[in-house]
């Protein structure tokens, strides 16, 4: 890989770190002092720069504001037990970003800008990486179409930005989900596998309906027959059925989660049987009838795991048994956190040391 030895830095004169209460972090509330910016025009990327975090100046005609060419990543940097800092699975996030960008016809940011940009940004704002185990520095690389033009077209100009911010470890108490069969998140041939803004906007309305009915999230079904489970809200979904860890296979309507992939690998390491295969709503009903389903949870970067206590299927609530630390989801989560903090060996080479 070609390396960018040094990205020009314009340092802030007024660090805001004193304003942060690291004992009371809230997800999405604080941004660190600096951000990386890199522009694309005339068929090429300009030199990236690290500058103080600040508002953007954009024309109201910037194409991203109208036609949805916007793509993002969500990843984390952790402070390890020995004080070093690592970025989790940087390559896998880059590869996914490229797939998202290609699907949205956007310019592909070079790997070295992504990797070196993250490393130098995290190094510069390393004071912002929380010390409390489980807390992290959230990293948000994203790209928007910036060409000034109000006709529908593929943009010829883009801006790539990375900002970061400290976040707490999200403990989510068990949630209630509703199997959604009227609305869909993604269709075959659509953009479900891409981390693009429109997928979120389109999911709000059905999610709000589920909330009004007393549920926390929807359990999405496939867009063709509404028969197979796809994802849980904006997380991948996993079940323990007959002591096996079961999750729907990646497809063009399911996002290829880094957490999902990591938990499957860890399950393998722990000798837990795993199956990536379609999970039908009918199978879940049958598993509840037989009592063979013992766990259900969402998997994603923000919370690692989000345990599910109730699944509503066609108007009937089905309840999971109470969770304890012995459950597979918590064993997987603990192992993942131990690898990130360097307490257990990083046998899969997931930690990218800053
Ligand atoms: C980001 C995301 C996930 C989780 O992916 P991670 O890489 O594990 O954070 C799952 N589903 C959707 C729709 C997502 O946008």
């Amino acid at each position: 890989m070609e390396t960018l030895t040094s990205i020009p830095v314009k340092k802030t004169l007024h660090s805001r770190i004193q304003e942060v209460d690291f004992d009371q972090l809230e997800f999405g509330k604080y941004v660190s002092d600096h951000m990386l910016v890199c522009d694309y025009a005339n068929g090429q990327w300009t030199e990236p720069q690290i500058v103080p975090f600040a508002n953007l100046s954009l024309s109201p005609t910037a194409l991203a504001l109208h036609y949805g060419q916007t793509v993002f990543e969500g990843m984390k940097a952790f402070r390890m037990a020995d004080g070093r800092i690592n970025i989790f699975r940087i390559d896998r996030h880059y590869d996914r970003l490229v797939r998202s960008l290609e699907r949205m016809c956007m310019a592909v940011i070079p790997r070295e800008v992504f990797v070196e940009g993250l490393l130098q940004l995290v190094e510069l704002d390393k004071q912002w990486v929380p010390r409390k185990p489980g807390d992290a520095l959230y990293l948000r690389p994203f790209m928007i179409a910036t060409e000034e033009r109000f006709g529908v077209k593929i943009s010829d100009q883009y801006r790539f930005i990375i900002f970061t911010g400290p976040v707490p470890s999200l403990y989510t108490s068990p949630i209630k989900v509703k199997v959604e069969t009227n609305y869909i998140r993604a269709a075959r041939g659509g953009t479900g596998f891409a981390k693009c803004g429109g997928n979120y906007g389109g999911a709000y309305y059905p999610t709000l309906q589920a909330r009004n009915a007393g549920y926390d999230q929807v359990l999405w079904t496939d867009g063709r027959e509404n028969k197979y489970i796809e994802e849980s809200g904006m997380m991948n979904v996993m079940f323990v059925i007959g002591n096996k860890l079961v999750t729907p296979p990646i497809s063009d309507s399911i996002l290829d989660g880094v957490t999902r992939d990591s938990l499957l690998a860890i399950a393998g390491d722990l000798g837990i049987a795993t199956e990536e295969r379609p999970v039908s709503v009918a199978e879940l009903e049958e598993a509840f009838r037989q009592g063979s389903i013992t766990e259900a949870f969402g998997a994603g970067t923000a919370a690692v795991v989000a345990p599910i206590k109730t699944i509503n299927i066609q108007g009937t609530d089905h309840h999971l048994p109470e969770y304890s630390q012995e459950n597979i989801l918590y064993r997987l989560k603990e192992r993942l956190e131990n690898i990130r903090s360097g307490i257990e060996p990083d046998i899969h080479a997931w930690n990218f040391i800053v």
Side-chain angles (χ1 to χ4, degrees):
M1 184 177 80
E2 209 183 309
T3 55
L4 297 170
T5 37
S6 172
I7 296 173
V9 178
K10 197 171 149 221
K11 277 197 191 164
T12 181
L13 299 174
H14 306 282
S15 174
R16 288 173 281 99
I17 197 161
Q18 304 309 335
E19 296 163 19
V20 181
D21 182 352
F22 279 88
D23 293 321
Q24 303 259 296
L25 291 175
E26 281 174 50
F27 197 95
K29 181 168 174 187
Y30 299 110
V31 287
S32 315
D33 283 330
H34 298 90
M35 64 181 187
L36 176 132
V37 179
C38 190
D39 284 319
Y40 178 91
N42 304 318
Q44 54 190 8
W45 287 98
T46 56
E47 189 182 28
Q49 287 190 311
I50 292 175
V51 295
F53 182 90
N55 289 348
L56 303 175
S57 170
L58 272 188
S59 165
T61 65
L63 284 168
L65 302 177
H66 305 272
Y67 309 120
Q69 274 186 301
T70 130
V71 150
F72 68 96
E73 268 303 316
M75 43 202 300
K76 283 178 171 175
F78 297 89
R79 194 175 291 275
M80 302 170 74
D82 64 7
R84 290 183 301 166
I85 293 168
N86 76 65
I87 299 177
F88 190 67
R89 303 198 72 177
I90 205 166
D91 285 317
R92 204 172 167 97
H93 282 283
Y94 176 75
D95 293 342
R96 184 171 72 191
L97 175 65
V98 171
R99 293 198 298 276
S100 300
L101 292 171
E102 285 175 345
R103 180 63 180 80
M104 302 307 289
C105 284
M106 296 167 74
V108 172
I109 186 84
R111 185 183 291 268
E112 59 270 20
V113 175
F114 183 85
V115 173
E116 281 300 315
L118 281 165
L119 289 175
Q120 291 184 33
L121 192 59
V122 171
E123 170 66 26
L124 179 63
D125 280 337
K126 59 175 180 263
Q127 253 44 283
W128 291 79
V129 183
R131 285 163 198 282
K132 215 198 295 168
D135 292 1
L137 187 69
Y138 186 86
L139 315 174
R140 170 53 60 87
F142 70 106
M143 198 188 294
I144 55 173
T146 47
E147 186 180 341
E148 301 175 2
R149 187 124 185 166
F150 57 81
V152 179
K153 77 179 284 281
I154 298 171
S155 182
D156 284 329
Q157 293 170 21
Y158 296 93
R159 177 162 290 183
F160 175 70
I161 299 176
I162 308 173
F163 67 80
T164 74
V167 295
S169 73
L170 277 191
Y171 167 76
T172 58
S173 47
I175 59 171
K176 296 170 72 174
V177 299
K178 175 177 172 285
V179 172
E180 180 57 66
T181 51
N182 290 320
Y183 301 101
I184 58 167
R185 188 190 82 87
R188 237 203 209 189
T191 59
F193 69 92
K195 237 172 153 62
C196 60
N199 289 345
Y200 282 71
Y204 286 161
Y205 185 78
T207 306
L208 190 61
Q209 305 291 308
R211 294 244 165 97
N212 290 339
Y215 298 88
D216 299 291
Q217 271 299 348
V218 298
L219 211 47
W220 300 107
T221 53
D222 69 281
R224 176 171 274 212
E225 302 175 278
N226 301 116
K227 263 191 181 167
Y228 296 95
I229 301 293
E230 297 225 310
E231 297 203 55
S232 169
M234 288 296 160
M235 302 176 95
N236 293 114
V237 66
M238 300 185 134
F239 304 97
V240 177
I241 304 173
N243 290 319
K244 290 189 190 126
L245 184 67
V246 183
T247 190
I250 292 309
S251 71
D252 60 0
S253 58
I254 295 183
L255 193 118
D256 186 359
V258 176
T259 312
R260 172 189 178 281
D261 183 76
S262 306
L263 296 182
L264 283 171
I266 290 172
D269 299 341
L270 295 177
I272 296 163
T274 61
E275 287 181 354
E276 291 178 75
R277 58 162 178 83
V279 179
S280 69
V281 179
E283 176 185 353
L284 287 186
E285 276 183 307
E286 183 57 25
F288 276 112
R289 219 170 288 135
Q290 301 198 341
S292 56
I293 178 167
T294 48
E295 302 179 28
F297 56 98
T301 294
V304 184
V305 296
I308 294 171
K309 65 176 176 188
T310 302
I311 301 180
N312 182 280
I313 304 176
Q314 303 284 349
T316 304
D317 278 348
H318 299 270
H319 302 289
L320 278 299
E322 291 232 347
Y323 292 107
S324 75
Q325 289 307 311
E326 269 71 71
N327 281 114
I328 287 175
L329 80 163
Y330 289 124
R331 288 168 57 204
L332 297 177
K333 179 179 190 204
E334 187 184 15
R335 169 74 81 124
L336 180 60
E337 288 179 343
N338 285 345
I339 292 172
R340 287 164 163 175
S341 57
I343 295 171
E344 289 193 56
D346 178 19
I347 55 172
H348 300 283
W350 286 338
N351 296 336
F352 202 102
I353 307 287
V354 174

